[in-house]
Amino acid sequence: MPRPNIVAHADWSVAANKRWMTRAKLGRDRCYNALAPTFVGDTSTLVERLLGEAGPRGRIFLGFDFPIGVPRAYAAKAGITDFLSLLPNLGQGPWCDIYKVARTPEEISLQRPFYPAQSNAQPPVSMDQLLRGLGLADRMALLRHCDRGPPAAAPIFWTVGGNQVGKAALAGWREVVAPALRNHRRDVGIWPFDGALADLLATRRIVLAETYPGEIYSHLNLRFARRDGVGTSGKRTQVDRAANAKALLGWARKADVALDPVLKRLIRDGFGRSTAGEDPFDATVGLFGMLNVVLGRRSSGEPEAPAIRTVEGWILGRSAARTLGAARARGPRDFELHPQLAADTIEVCRLDLCRVLLALDSSYPWVILVPQRADVREIYELAERDRQLLMVEIAQASSVMACLFAPDKLNVAALGNAVPQLHLHVIARYRTDRAWPRPIWGASPAEPYAPERLREITSRLKAAFLSREG
């Protein structure tokens, strides 16, 4: 993993006096020195200040504990297929009201999804009002996949409660992320939308990522004991923050991260008596979590699902296998592609259920969908949810093939006479192809692709599937 010159984590809030940032500088010995927390300050100059601190050719990695991305169910209804393309245009045109939190249920819309502006409004507000306003089925539809935990994060659009993130997200998008995309697009990489973290850190001067201190507590072995009958407990109390000093200082020693004396003293002291000490505490925890990934001590964690890389985003360091289950993160551990399919195809991408393969026969544009479920031969053997998802992905593949290749007809078939593993063919047919109007099976020997053409068609297919996922 490339090591940026500055790694910084901002503990975010709507209120400027609650925004703290802890940063680490890379030394000549290629080790990091973590500094004491400071106020974030003027958000309009934050990126430029960090770039100045990094030097003329320096790179920065900046994390925020607010969501970057929107739930897939909402995005599908709102017509959002690429969150990063939309983000710089929020506050304009059809999205002119998105930064205005809805005050009444009647003001809720797909272009104004944050609600309510006040939690003590009369009549009382409810999440059901938000769901009805957005046309979503249930609370789970308000959550991105990475929000579902464990530990669970708050729904982005619901702006009530101590852990709500909606108004903080609006402030972060408007004040930092959108301006960075508008003013520095060639230099900015937003993880995971713009690519893998290692690639972004190697090629972009500015890399922004979403973090969640509640996720990082377990990475650093932090614990908050429940103490009944003593009032407030947990990270809001000095004694409970100080109780984690040993774990934080021990992590720094093992990771070879030097600590500024002031930061070391704050950690031992529990960041002061005030409940507001939780903000610099979380800023520091967030930084250590980011360094954990940069130093290769933990994976960045994002799954391969295209919707997560185009619409939803991900929380840095959160395990996809733990959050989604191993089957949805990378495919089931016991799933293996049939050797004949592996020999006759090249992988294009992976959807939520299926692997998408390109058949190595240039006679016909031809993809194969293989549900990533072990020991399944027939469609009826899939679980009900997987059967529904398969229909969605067949339609997605058909749309991709129709748009890319403009065929006279699409052939969609599940045969499996020679290869028993369940797989479905989606083939673009033309009146001029060598088998028309008959099925293609056995019509002629396969014609291999030229290497350049194979790279081109695989790239086009992958881009098309990514743009349509979700």
Side-chain angles (χ1 to χ4, degrees):
M1 187 75 70
R3 297 188 179 186
N5 302 81
I6 300 288
V7 179
H9 179 262
D11 184 69
W12 208 251
S13 172
V14 175
N17 65 353
K18 288 179 64 63
R19 296 176 183 170
W20 286 83
M21 177 174 65
T22 306
R23 64 199 193 283
K25 292 184 176 181
L26 186 67
R28 293 183 178 180
D29 58 359
R30 306 297 296 167
C31 293
Y32 282 102
N33 179 39
L35 307 178
T38 59
F39 282 115
V40 168
D42 185 355
T43 54
S44 67
T45 64
L46 174 60
V47 170
E48 284 75 11
R49 280 186 279 126
L50 289 173
L51 283 174
E53 194 171 347
R57 296 184 179 180
R59 301 180 188 275
I60 64 172
F61 182 27
L62 178 56
F64 301 95
D65 67 337
F66 58 74
I68 304 177
V70 293
R72 184 168 67 171
Y74 159 78
K77 285 188 171 291
I80 300 170
T81 58
D82 185 336
F83 180 71
L84 283 199
S85 295
L86 173 67
L87 188 52
N89 300 310
L90 295 180
Q92 309 170 40
W95 296 92
C96 61
D97 289 332
I98 192 169
Y99 290 124
K100 301 174 184 177
V101 179
R103 295 165 296 180
T104 66
E106 292 73 25
E107 290 183 341
I108 300 169
S109 71
L110 292 173
Q111 286 73 41
R112 193 175 180 181
F114 291 83
Y115 175 78
Q118 294 182 327
S119 60
N120 58 353
Q122 293 296 328
V125 299
S126 73
M127 195 173 291
D128 285 341
Q129 295 167 337
L130 177 60
L131 290 169
R132 286 194 296 270
L134 298 179
L136 298 176
D138 53 36
R139 185 180 185 278
M140 292 299 289
L142 292 173
L143 297 173
R144 300 172 301 156
H145 284 86
C146 62
D147 294 331
R148 299 177 186 182
I156 179 175
F157 298 135
W158 181 242
T159 57
V160 173
N163 66 339
Q164 67 90 9
V165 294
K167 292 178 182 177
L170 286 177
W173 294 356
R174 182 177 58 239
E175 298 176 31
V176 180
V177 185
L181 289 171
R182 285 194 295 265
N183 301 332
H184 302 281
R185 188 62 184 107
R186 292 181 61 184
D187 291 329
V188 169
I190 311 293
W191 174 87
F193 300 92
D194 283 324
L197 184 61
D199 293 339
L200 295 179
L201 292 177
T203 59
R204 308 291 179 95
R205 289 198 68 200
I206 306 157
V207 178
L208 307 183
E210 174 186 347
T211 64
Y212 179 32
E215 166 72 25
I216 296 169
Y217 296 155
S218 63
H219 305 179
L220 305 180
N221 295 316
L222 306 188
R223 300 286 185 271
F224 297 98
R226 296 183 63 88
R227 294 180 290 111
D228 296 332
V230 296
T232 301
S233 62
K235 69 173 184 175
R236 290 179 59 81
T237 67
Q238 181 183 21
V239 63
D240 287 340
R241 294 191 295 264
N244 284 290
K246 182 177 179 180
L248 290 171
L249 297 174
W251 175 88
R253 285 193 300 272
K254 292 177 182 177
D256 201 20
V257 172
L259 302 181
D260 179 88
V262 176
L263 176 58
K264 189 178 293 186
R265 187 163 58 250
L266 285 170
I267 291 173
R268 287 173 172 156
D269 180 57
F271 292 84
R273 295 182 179 179
S274 169
T275 58
E278 70 172 308
D279 301 318
F281 174 81
D282 273 349
T284 302
V285 167
L287 172 69
F288 286 9
M290 294 175 70
L291 289 173
N292 226 13
V293 174
V294 170
L295 297 173
R297 297 171 57 86
R298 187 175 182 88
S299 167
S300 55
E302 76 281 12
E304 295 290 345
I308 285 165
R309 296 177 180 271
T310 56
V311 172
E312 290 202 334
W314 198 254
I315 293 169
L316 185 70
R318 172 155 283 190
S319 167
R322 186 179 179 201
T323 298
L324 302 181
R328 300 195 63 202
R330 288 292 189 271
R333 295 178 184 175
D334 54 353
F335 171 83
E336 291 185 6
L337 188 64
H338 191 281
Q340 191 62 54
L341 288 174
D344 293 343
T345 66
I346 184 172
E347 184 172 318
V348 174
C349 63
R350 300 185 186 187
L351 307 179
D352 278 354
L353 175 66
C354 294
R355 292 191 190 185
V356 181
L357 312 175
L358 172 65
L360 297 177
D361 184 353
S362 64
S363 304
Y364 319 93
W366 176 2
V367 297
I368 299 172
L369 304 180
V370 186
Q372 297 176 102
R373 299 294 184 261
D375 302 322
V376 174
R377 293 170 174 254
E378 308 293 346
I379 292 175
Y380 76 84
E381 295 175 355
L382 291 169
E384 181 178 356
R385 183 189 179 281
D386 285 343
R387 289 198 300 271
Q388 295 172 352
L389 190 53
L390 178 61
M391 294 303 107
V392 170
E393 294 182 358
I394 290 172
Q396 181 181 345
S398 299
S399 173
V400 166
M401 298 295 281
C403 291
L404 284 187
F405 303 109
D408 295 317
K409 183 69 176 74
L410 283 173
N411 289 173
V412 180
L415 300 176
N417 298 335
V419 176
Q421 184 175 60
L422 178 60
H423 61 286
L424 295 100
H425 305 267
V426 182
I427 309 163
R429 298 297 307 275
Y430 302 90
R431 298 180 185 276
T432 55
D433 71 43
R434 61 181 64 185
W436 184 271
R438 300 178 305 279
I440 67 170
W441 324 112
S444 60
E447 290 285 341
Y449 282 98
E452 297 79 7
R453 174 62 175 161
L454 181 60
R455 284 193 293 270
E456 176 197 358
I457 196 170
T458 304
S459 177
R460 290 177 63 201
L461 280 166
K462 182 174 183 178
F465 273 99
L466 290 177
S467 70
R468 285 168 173 78
E469 214 282 346

